[in-house]
Amino acid sequence: MCSYVNRALASVVTSSFVAPFSLSTLSVSLPLVARDLGVSAVDTMLSLVAFTLAVAVSVLPLGRSADVLGPVVVFRTGLLVAVAGLASASLSPGFDLLCVTLAVGGVGLAAVFGSNNALLFQAATPDRRASAIDLSSMSVYLGLFTGPFLGGFLAQVSWRAVFLPALVLLSASVFLARGLPAQRTQVGEDFDWVGAVLSALSLALVVWGVSAASPLFTGVGLAALTLTVLYESGQRSPVVDVRLFRSFVFSALLLAAFLNYFSTAALTPTLSLLFQEEYNMTPRDAGMLIALQALAMAIFVPVAGRLSDKTSPSVVSAGGAALLAASLFAYAHAAVSSPSPHLLFLMGVGFALFIVPNTTLILSSVPPARRGTASALAAEARVVGQSLSNAAAVNVLKNYPSLPSGVTALLLLLSAVALATALLSIARYVAMRL
């Protein structure tokens, strides 16, 4: 039993590292992708949209399938699909194929995310579950930190080399997951195929509409999203449990999480383009500079947890979002002339101070029996925010005559979104006090 638990934990922790690592390493290598595959530097950000959108449209249906089929089956299948997708991406001869193969890898990683916590709960004894999930979370932040740093060094050799560490780790995770017993958690449950298709289609249309600046696609996507909510509210076993959104506090917490990721996800690829295209930095130097944000997150995540325990999580999260907004606003006026590493560090501090208490509040605002669903919805808010952030960045940067002016406009937009996050956090705090 101990060997089974340790192998399950090692496999989950190893795979948890891959998605943030892959996303950040690819972000640092975008200028090289543009030169090698013959596309514009801004258009290469669409590869990130393809990757994160694939995760966004897949994670909830695949998380639900983990309940129906068992987490081990979904987890192992996801690992194999992720290996196939990322390996194919590293060999892609053209940009369109790169986007397609990254999307395949994103679907595989969505299966991993949608099942890993359930796998840990199934494998670990109650006294080890919290520590197991903490290790998995630490692996995510480690991937965020090492991605820009190591990715910059690998990109010096070739942008295709940035996929190598992820492929090695995923292969190791596949090996560790061998022989794990496949146990179904909800025997006899039906899978809501209609809800899965509706939710995936609506999100895809909204993100595509934003990236293409198409009001038609965006409007149709929002209409489909409304239809999804209406349909899911009447289902016995829905993919999306919309009943949770009857609570203003929960809805505000989830919306704040979405806005926070929207205001931060586009920073790494955008600043990578700016540093390399305008400042003539090497991928290695750009990656080391961008890694300051993740370093600040790693340092201040435990600080945010302690502050939340001693004071009010709502106050800490609002303060973090306000600090992020101020840092983004200041950087919008400094980025054209200087990399301003101190502001990059402050952005990471603001993110950490927001995300830890907000996530804690999300999980504590629902009954214990609904925390798995709440956790899945929080993950969905993250990846949808990331997708829309990168899609909006493509749209903004394309509409300005120069990269510096486009980056300035984008940073001002992201600053406004972060400010809205802070205001929403304050409104939620007032609502919780009433």
Side-chain angles (χ1 to χ4, degrees):
M1 176 61 72
C2 183
S3 174
Y4 158 59
V5 172
N6 290 337
R7 281 192 296 111
L9 176 58
S11 184
V12 168
V13 169
T14 302
S15 60
S16 296
F17 177 91
V18 170
F21 177 85
S22 299
L23 199 59
S24 53
T25 53
L26 182 59
S27 297
V28 171
S29 64
L30 289 181
L32 300 177
V33 173
R35 297 185 196 111
D36 187 36
L37 300 184
V39 294
S40 74
V42 173
D43 281 338
T44 58
M45 292 182 66
L46 290 173
S47 62
L48 305 179
V49 176
F51 183 73
T52 54
L53 179 58
V55 178
V57 301
S58 306
V59 68
L60 284 179
L62 290 171
R64 176 63 184 148
S65 67
D67 290 335
V68 177
L69 301 174
V72 173
V73 172
V74 176
F75 181 77
R76 285 194 304 216
T77 303
L79 289 174
L80 294 173
V81 173
V83 168
L86 295 184
S88 300
S90 69
L91 302 173
S92 297
F95 183 69
D96 290 342
L97 188 57
L98 174 65
C99 292
V100 171
T101 52
L102 283 173
V104 172
V107 171
L109 289 173
V112 172
F113 298 152
S115 57
N116 57 5
N117 282 338
L119 175 58
L120 288 179
F121 264 68
Q122 179 178 289
T125 55
D127 62 309
R128 294 188 61 183
R129 286 172 180 168
S131 60
I133 291 176
D134 282 346
L135 283 173
S136 179
S137 301
M138 286 174 58
S139 182
V140 171
Y141 284 105
L142 185 60
L144 284 172
F145 173 64
T146 58
F149 183 80
L150 183 56
F153 279 88
L154 291 172
Q156 299 280 97
V157 179
S158 169
W159 67 266
R160 299 178 189 276
V162 302
F163 295 101
L164 184 59
L167 289 171
V168 171
L169 291 172
L170 285 173
S171 299
S173 189
V174 170
F175 177 80
L176 290 166
R178 286 184 315 119
L180 296 180
Q183 301 174 8
R184 298 178 66 176
T185 54
Q186 294 184 16
V187 179
E189 288 281 347
D190 296 324
F191 186 81
D192 179 16
W193 288 104
V194 175
V197 171
L198 281 175
S199 62
L201 180 62
S202 59
L203 288 174
L205 286 170
V206 169
V207 174
W208 179 255
V210 171
S211 62
S214 170
L216 176 61
F217 276 110
T218 305
V220 172
L222 291 174
L225 194 59
T226 303
L227 179 61
T228 302
V229 171
L230 293 174
Y231 175 81
E232 292 290 80
S233 63
Q235 298 305 300
R236 185 173 62 88
S237 302
V239 170
V240 182
D241 191 348
V242 297
R243 290 171 295 180
L244 289 174
F245 293 99
R246 295 172 183 170
S247 164
F248 169 77
V249 171
F250 178 81
S251 299
L253 287 164
L254 209 62
L255 178 58
F258 162 77
L259 293 175
N260 179 256
Y261 283 105
F262 186 102
S263 64
T264 54
L267 287 173
T268 295
T270 301
L271 295 181
S272 174
L273 293 177
L274 181 70
F275 294 163
Q276 295 181 59
E277 297 292 304
E278 294 297 321
Y279 297 164
N280 295 317
M281 288 186 181
T282 63
R284 179 196 62 194
D285 292 341
M288 291 176 67
L289 192 57
I290 291 170
L292 286 173
Q293 295 177 75
L295 176 62
M297 294 177 202
I299 293 172
F300 280 87
V301 159
V303 174
R306 288 195 292 270
L307 283 175
S308 299
D309 290 339
K310 293 181 179 179
T311 58
S312 166
S314 295
V315 172
V316 176
S317 62
L323 176 60
L324 177 61
S327 303
L328 287 166
F329 183 81
Y331 206 90
H333 296 83
V336 176
S337 58
S338 168
S340 303
H342 62 288
L343 290 177
L344 288 172
F345 189 85
L346 285 177
M347 291 177 199
V349 174
F351 180 91
L353 292 178
F354 169 83
I355 200 62
V356 173
N358 195 75
T359 303
T360 302
L361 287 168
I362 287 175
L363 295 178
S364 62
S365 67
V366 298
R370 311 290 284 282
R371 283 177 185 162
T373 301
S375 179
L377 287 171
E380 183 73 357
R382 179 182 74 246
V383 289
V384 173
Q386 290 171 335
S387 296
L388 283 172
S389 182
N390 287 316
V394 172
N395 189 13
V396 171
L397 295 177
K398 279 189 170 183
N399 283 281
Y400 280 82
S402 67
L403 184 59
S405 62
V407 171
T408 297
L410 177 64
L411 289 170
L412 289 174
L413 170 63
L414 299 182
S415 173
V417 174
L419 179 60
T421 308
L423 295 175
L424 182 60
S425 298
I426 293 171
R428 181 195 67 229
Y429 174 69
V430 172
M432 292 174 69
R433 300 274 293 182
L434 295 177

